[in-house]
Amino acid sequence: MGSVSAETVVEISGLEKTFRIGFWRKQVAAVRHASFSVQRGEIFGLIGPNGAGKTTTLKMLMGLIKPDAGSATIFGIDASQAASRAKVGFLPETPHFYDYLRADELLTYFAHLYGMDGKVAERRIPELLDRVGLGQVGDKQLRKFSKGMLQRVGLAQALLPDAELVILDEPQSGLDPMGRRDVRQIIESLRDEGKTVLFSSHILPDVEQICDRVAMMVGGTVRKVGRLDELVDGSLRDVEVVVRGDEAGLAGLAALASRTTREPLGTTRYLLAPEASLDGFLQAVLTAGGSVLSVAPHRQRLEDIFLLEAARKEAP
Amino acid sequence: MKTVAAIALYSFREAVRNKILYSILFFAILLILLSVVLGSASVHQDSRFLLDIGLFSINLFGDIIAIFLGITSVFQEIERKTLYNVLSKPIDRATYFLGKFGGIAMTLAVQLMLMAAALSTTLLFRGGTVDLQLLGAFWLTYVESVMIASFALFCGSFSTPYVSGFITLGIWLIGRLVQELAAFLTKVEEPAARHLLQGIVALAPDLNLFTITTQLTYGYPVGMAYFGAVTLYGLGYIVVAMGAAIFIFRRRDFI
């Protein structure tokens, strides 16, 4: 983990947004009194199911959507001010670009928008294209790029200003496993360079692997904010035991397990509750003439907390 | 200012790739060339006829291009979501909007120059002259089309292309008929209708001021002061339309 200072980079306080949709202007609350802060140098994950309000929150932070109430600041500057984005790189969800431009032309255009020096941009653009794995295709028109390649272009433009804060909305969306790994590595390298990263994601194992802190949004509200080790205590959730043996002989074991799944290759998978006796269960397997193929303890993970919160309708 | 110029340049690059613009341009030039054939039927009148039809074509097609660019350029960026990548940079929305306007103004300049070149060349071949008066006529046509584009941009800042196209077309029609509407005022007896018509006549731009075809055709000289005054008149409308458009655009949500 990189060093995290106490300086607040992003501050979101009581943010609210309601959209009016359709002919009857039906009100839909997208974000309800959301509050959290991101400290300098940390990787902060914004997680939640579809429609949780993550993208709306990030768009309010980038000044694309005006909040109905509350405040959002970046480096202490109100997010509605263009100056707040001077040191910020942003990757929108499923980015769209001018498809008639080449990747290097697009980055040159965005360098102009950041007010970058021409010589600095000229040096930095090929470096960035290399960094996101597009060094060989920088001179190709974007219309010839796959979805994954466009996502990489999106990453490159987010890193263009050598930003102190990088905000990524679903950066792994549309990427294959290698692409996901590359994005993970880029985010980690940003932390090593002392940058702050705020990103939203559905891919919880990645969030678990690289985030210092997370905010969990459900139904427009922030349900939980905290360090991963505070949210996920790592306690034993259950123990999985895979057994091979005669189905009739093993029939009595089901009563000892919380769940039993018969598998096609003649194996049976048992889930034991944390309080169940593992020794007793293994003894019972051997007594029934079965053989134990594997024993795997399952500890509580971010996904468990996520599913629990997503299933709960309202905040306590 | 450099940012506005960058946005304008890339908007121009995007606009000139649009095939619809080339179709409109093709029809404009075709009409200019056709006027040669039609004009040759009238004895000693072909240059006059050519000038009349040519300026009319440039004016009409210039305004069509202006409406098309005005209603589509920002809307397309919203629809294609390319706008998110631009507005998330440290630029003010006014900067972006002025850049888009600059891009449209550049595109219109190129399109009008092509049409003007087609007319001037044809005129010269038919024994006509290309003088400062004609260049002035081209300039006023350009100012008019930029003004029409600013109206379209204003409408596009709060509505869809169809609605904003319809409204801009309405403004264009009223602008063409404003003198007739002013004359009609005396005949309206109903006070509410008269007030409404008075308001429309007072607010609407008089597009006839930008057309000096009659003067050119019959050889009446138009002074530089007139060109200057009409240019300022057009600029006034452009500033108001752009100011209102930016005011609305700054308050929009990009979901």
Side-chain angles (χ1 to χ4, degrees), chain B residues 133-166:
Chain B
Q133 296 278 299
L134 182 62
L135 295 181
F138 291 149
W139 167 251
L140 289 186
T141 303
Y142 175 64
V143 175
E144 180 188 319
S145 65
V146 173
M147 185 177 74
I148 295 292
S150 72
F151 294 150
L153 265 174
F154 163 68
C155 299
S157 67
F158 60 83
S159 60
T160 61
Y162 287 114
V163 176
S164 46
F166 189 73

Side-chain angles (χ1 to χ4, degrees), chain A residues 17 63 66 96 98 157, chain B residues 77 85 89 93 253-255:
Chain A
K17 185 69 192 180
K66 310 277 175 196
H96 295 80
Y98 308 98
Q157 61 86 35
Chain B
E77 287 238 42
N85 290 303
K89 307 290 180 283
R93 290 190 185 185
D253 281 335
F254 298 107
I255 301 166

Side-chain angles (χ1 to χ4, degrees), chain A residues 143-288:
Chain A
R143 70 176 68 222
K144 293 171 186 159
F145 280 28
S146 67
K147 196 180 169 194
M149 288 163 85
L150 287 174
Q151 192 75 359
R152 287 166 189 265
V153 173
L155 265 173
Q157 61 86 35
L159 304 178
L160 183 64
D162 198 18
E164 289 180 26
L165 168 67
V166 180
I167 299 177
L168 310 168
D169 193 0
E170 301 283 355
Q172 288 124 325
S173 162
L175 294 180
D176 56 24
M178 284 85 77
R180 273 176 53 194
R181 183 202 57 203
D182 291 347
V183 169
R184 211 166 49 229
Q185 285 173 351
I186 287 172
I187 292 175
E188 284 173 329
S189 70
L190 287 171
R191 176 171 49 195
D192 295 341
E193 292 165 21
K195 318 278 189 207
T196 309
V197 181
L198 163 60
F199 78 104
S200 72
S201 183
H202 283 114
I203 303 165
L204 298 179
D206 286 355
V207 173
E208 220 164 8
Q209 207 173 335
I210 60 176
C211 281
D212 298 303
R213 290 199 307 139
V214 295
M216 196 177 289
M217 287 189 83
V218 180
T221 58
V222 176
R223 292 278 181 87
K224 283 182 185 291
V225 186
R227 293 184 60 82
L228 274 170
D229 54 10
E230 291 166 356
L231 299 180
V232 184
D233 61 12
S235 60
L236 192 65
R237 192 185 61 190
D238 49 44
V239 179
E240 184 190 78
V241 182
V242 180
V243 172
R244 175 171 287 148
D246 175 55
E247 193 175 353
L250 298 175
L253 295 175
L256 302 173
S258 56
R259 202 166 81 203
T260 304
T261 315
R262 185 74 187 165
E263 293 181 330
L265 293 173
T267 56
T268 310
R269 194 174 295 269
Y270 298 96
L271 282 183
L272 306 183
E275 62 277 7
S277 164
L278 178 62
D279 290 346
F281 183 80
L282 295 178
Q283 188 59 53
V285 171
L286 297 175
T287 308

Side-chain angles (χ1 to χ4, degrees), chain A residues 2-314:
Chain A
S3 65
V4 177
S5 80
E7 187 193 340
T8 300
V9 171
V10 173
E11 180 82 62
I12 283 174
S13 176
L15 214 54
E16 299 203 8
K17 185 69 192 180
T18 298
F19 294 118
R20 282 153 194 86
I21 295 170
F23 183 78
W24 301 107
R25 314 295 290 158
K26 188 185 165 198
Q27 294 198 352
V28 177
V31 176
R32 291 187 279 191
H33 209 74
S35 300
F36 62 85
S37 63
V38 181
Q39 308 301 313
R40 184 179 284 278
E42 74 178 350
I43 298 183
F44 191 97
L46 191 57
I47 60 173
N50 289 335
K54 304 185 297 293
T55 295
T56 304
T57 302
L58 293 184
K59 281 186 179 173
M60 283 195 274
L61 198 54
M62 294 312 298
L64 293 167
I65 292 177
K66 310 277 175 196
D68 294 333
S71 68
T73 61
I74 301 176
F75 299 112
I77 305 169
D78 191 279
S80 63
Q81 305 292 313
S84 70
R85 301 187 287 277
K87 294 181 245 172
V88 182
F90 175 61
L91 168 71
E93 185 182 15
T94 326
H96 295 80
F97 301 110
Y98 308 98
D99 59 5
Y100 62 91
L101 291 181
R102 303 191 318 241
D104 54 357
E105 284 178 331
L106 181 87
L107 294 181
T108 305
Y109 175 39
F110 287 165
H112 283 300
L113 300 186
Y114 275 110
M116 282 174 76
D117 179 75
K119 285 209 170 81
V120 174
E122 220 170 273
R123 178 176 48 77
R124 187 152 172 75
I125 289 166
E127 279 174 15
L128 273 174
L129 287 170
D130 272 339
R131 186 172 180 179
V132 298
L134 297 175
Q136 303 299 312
V137 291
D139 58 351
K140 294 257 187 316
Q141 273 189 323
L142 294 172
R143 70 176 68 222
K144 293 171 186 159
F145 280 28
S146 67
K147 196 180 169 194
M149 288 163 85
L150 287 174
Q151 192 75 359
R152 287 166 189 265
V153 173
L155 265 173
Q157 61 86 35
L159 304 178
L160 183 64
D162 198 18
E164 289 180 26
L165 168 67
V166 180
I167 299 177
L168 310 168
D169 193 0
E170 301 283 355
Q172 288 124 325
S173 162
L175 294 180
D176 56 24
M178 284 85 77
R180 273 176 53 194
R181 183 202 57 203
D182 291 347
V183 169
R184 211 166 49 229
Q185 285 173 351
I186 287 172
I187 292 175
E188 284 173 329
S189 70
L190 287 171
R191 176 171 49 195
D192 295 341
E193 292 165 21
K195 318 278 189 207
T196 309
V197 181
L198 163 60
F199 78 104
S200 72
S201 183
H202 283 114
I203 303 165
L204 298 179
D206 286 355
V207 173
E208 220 164 8
Q209 207 173 335
I210 60 176
C211 281
D212 298 303
R213 290 199 307 139
V214 295
M216 196 177 289
M217 287 189 83
V218 180
T221 58
V222 176
R223 292 278 181 87
K224 283 182 185 291
V225 186
R227 293 184 60 82
L228 274 170
D229 54 10
E230 291 166 356
L231 299 180
V232 184
D233 61 12
S235 60
L236 192 65
R237 192 185 61 190
D238 49 44
V239 179
E240 184 190 78
V241 182
V242 180
V243 172
R244 175 171 287 148
D246 175 55
E247 193 175 353
L250 298 175
L253 295 175
L256 302 173
S258 56
R259 202 166 81 203
T260 304
T261 315
R262 185 74 187 165
E263 293 181 330
L265 293 173
T267 56
T268 310
R269 194 174 295 269
Y270 298 96
L271 282 183
L272 306 183
E275 62 277 7
S277 164
L278 178 62
D279 290 346
F281 183 80
L282 295 178
Q283 188 59 53
V285 171
L286 297 175
T287 308
S291 56
V292 177
L293 296 182
S294 70
V295 177
H298 289 167
R299 301 203 171 272
Q300 188 192 43
R301 291 168 55 202
L302 187 59
E303 191 178 55
D304 302 315
I305 310 284
F306 178 90
L307 292 173
L308 205 67
E309 283 298 330
R312 199 154 55 84
K313 285 207 159 114
E314 292 297 329

Side-chain angles (χ1 to χ4, degrees), chain B residues 47 51 119-120 123-132 134:
Chain B
S47 294
L51 193 65
L119 176 59
S120 302
L123 263 175
L124 288 173
F125 269 111
R126 304 298 295 177
T129 52
V130 176
D131 53 13
L132 272 177
L134 182 62

